[in-house]
mmCIF file of all heavy atoms in Angstrom:
data_model
loop_
_atom_site.group_PDB
_atom_site.id
_atom_site.type_symbol
_atom_site.label_atom_id
_atom_site.label_comp_id
_atom_site.label_asym_id
_atom_site.label_seq_id
_atom_site.Cartn_x
_atom_site.Cartn_y
_atom_site.Cartn_z
ATOM 1 N N SER Q 288 104.917 68.409 90.201
ATOM 2 C CA SER Q 288 106.025 67.782 90.905
ATOM 3 C C SER Q 288 107.285 67.940 90.069
ATOM 4 O O SER Q 288 107.308 67.547 88.894
ATOM 5 C CB SER Q 288 105.726 66.284 91.134
ATOM 6 O OG SER Q 288 106.786 65.660 91.825
ATOM 7 N N ILE Q 289 108.316 68.559 90.644
ATOM 8 C CA ILE Q 289 109.555 68.805 89.903
ATOM 9 C C ILE Q 289 110.758 68.480 90.779
ATOM 10 O O ILE Q 289 110.626 68.285 91.991
ATOM 11 C CB ILE Q 289 109.643 70.268 89.426
ATOM 12 C CG1 ILE Q 289 109.633 71.224 90.628
ATOM 13 C CG2 ILE Q 289 108.526 70.585 88.447
ATOM 14 C CD1 ILE Q 289 109.862 72.682 90.246
ATOM 15 N N GLN Q 290 111.928 68.476 90.170
ATOM 16 C CA GLN Q 290 113.166 68.228 90.904
ATOM 17 C C GLN Q 290 113.697 69.536 91.469
ATOM 18 O O GLN Q 290 113.530 70.613 90.878
ATOM 19 C CB GLN Q 290 114.195 67.590 89.983
ATOM 20 C CG GLN Q 290 113.828 66.194 89.483
ATOM 21 C CD GLN Q 290 113.653 65.204 90.624
ATOM 22 O OE1 GLN Q 290 112.581 64.620 90.797
ATOM 23 N NE2 GLN Q 290 114.700 65.015 91.416
ATOM 24 N N GLU Q 291 114.342 69.409 92.594
ATOM 25 C CA GLU Q 291 114.963 70.574 93.216
ATOM 26 C C GLU Q 291 115.921 71.236 92.226
ATOM 27 O O GLU Q 291 116.670 70.561 91.518
ATOM 28 C CB GLU Q 291 115.720 70.129 94.468
ATOM 29 C CG GLU Q 291 116.141 71.255 95.372
ATOM 30 C CD GLU Q 291 116.604 70.743 96.735
ATOM 31 O OE1 GLU Q 291 116.935 69.531 96.834
ATOM 32 O OE2 GLU Q 291 116.618 71.529 97.703
ATOM 33 N N GLY Q 292 115.854 72.549 92.185
ATOM 34 C CA GLY Q 292 116.705 73.301 91.268
ATOM 35 C C GLY Q 292 116.000 73.701 89.986
ATOM 36 O O GLY Q 292 116.422 74.652 89.317
ATOM 37 N N GLU Q 293 114.940 72.986 89.635
ATOM 38 C CA GLU Q 293 114.181 73.347 88.434
ATOM 39 C C GLU Q 293 113.265 74.528 88.730
ATOM 40 O O GLU Q 293 113.027 74.895 89.870
ATOM 41 C CB GLU Q 293 113.353 72.147 87.956
ATOM 42 C CG GLU Q 293 114.184 70.976 87.476
ATOM 43 C CD GLU Q 293 113.333 69.813 87.001
ATOM 44 O OE1 GLU Q 293 112.147 69.738 87.394
ATOM 45 O OE2 GLU Q 293 113.840 68.969 86.251
ATOM 46 N N ASN Q 294 112.755 75.116 87.659
ATOM 47 C CA ASN Q 294 111.795 76.213 87.790
ATOM 48 C C ASN Q 294 110.373 75.659 87.806
ATOM 49 O O ASN Q 294 110.072 74.666 87.136
ATOM 50 C CB ASN Q 294 111.941 77.190 86.634
ATOM 51 C CG ASN Q 294 113.284 77.881 86.629
ATOM 52 O OD1 ASN Q 294 113.988 77.910 87.636
ATOM 53 N ND2 ASN Q 294 113.651 78.429 85.488
ATOM 54 N N ALA Q 295 109.501 76.320 88.550
ATOM 55 C CA ALA Q 295 108.098 75.917 88.630
ATOM 56 C C ALA Q 295 107.224 77.064 88.158
ATOM 57 O O ALA Q 295 107.411 78.209 88.605
ATOM 58 C CB ALA Q 295 107.725 75.547 90.061
ATOM 59 N N THR Q 296 106.305 76.769 87.265
ATOM 60 C CA THR Q 296 105.380 77.787 86.763
ATOM 61 C C THR Q 296 103.948 77.365 87.044
ATOM 62 O O THR Q 296 103.549 76.241 86.736
ATOM 63 C CB THR Q 296 105.550 77.997 85.251
ATOM 64 O OG1 THR Q 296 106.873 78.427 84.989
ATOM 65 C CG2 THR Q 296 104.567 79.063 84.762
ATOM 66 N N MET Q 297 103.201 78.271 87.646
ATOM 67 C CA MET Q 297 101.793 78.042 87.939
ATOM 68 C C MET Q 297 100.977 79.160 87.304
ATOM 69 O O MET Q 297 101.424 80.306 87.283
ATOM 70 C CB MET Q 297 101.571 78.039 89.451
ATOM 71 C CG MET Q 297 102.137 76.821 90.125
ATOM 72 S SD MET Q 297 102.405 77.057 91.883
ATOM 73 C CE MET Q 297 104.060 77.730 91.877
ATOM 74 N N ASN Q 298 99.814 78.810 86.815
ATOM 75 C CA ASN Q 298 98.964 79.772 86.129
ATOM 76 C C ASN Q 298 97.643 79.959 86.862
ATOM 77 O O ASN Q 298 97.162 79.056 87.552
ATOM 78 C CB ASN Q 298 98.691 79.298 84.704
ATOM 79 C CG ASN Q 298 99.974 79.096 83.936
ATOM 80 O OD1 ASN Q 298 100.722 80.028 83.689
ATOM 81 N ND2 ASN Q 298 100.248 77.848 83.560
ATOM 82 N N CYS Q 299 97.075 81.127 86.661
ATOM 83 C CA CYS Q 299 95.827 81.472 87.323
ATOM 84 C C CYS Q 299 94.962 82.230 86.326
ATOM 85 O O CYS Q 299 95.464 83.107 85.622
ATOM 86 C CB CYS Q 299 96.130 82.337 88.546
ATOM 87 S SG CYS Q 299 94.717 83.188 89.257
ATOM 88 N N SER Q 300 93.710 81.895 86.250
ATOM 89 C CA SER Q 300 92.769 82.649 85.420
ATOM 90 C C SER Q 300 91.618 83.141 86.285
ATOM 91 O O SER Q 300 91.277 82.509 87.291
ATOM 92 C CB SER Q 300 92.240 81.775 84.277
ATOM 93 O OG SER Q 300 91.539 80.652 84.786
#
Side-chain angles (χ1 to χ4, degrees):
Chain Q
S288 180
I289 61 174
Q290 295 300 120
E291 193 167 19
E293 294 180 339
N294 296 342
T296 300
M297 289 160 272
N298 302 296
C299 166
S300 61

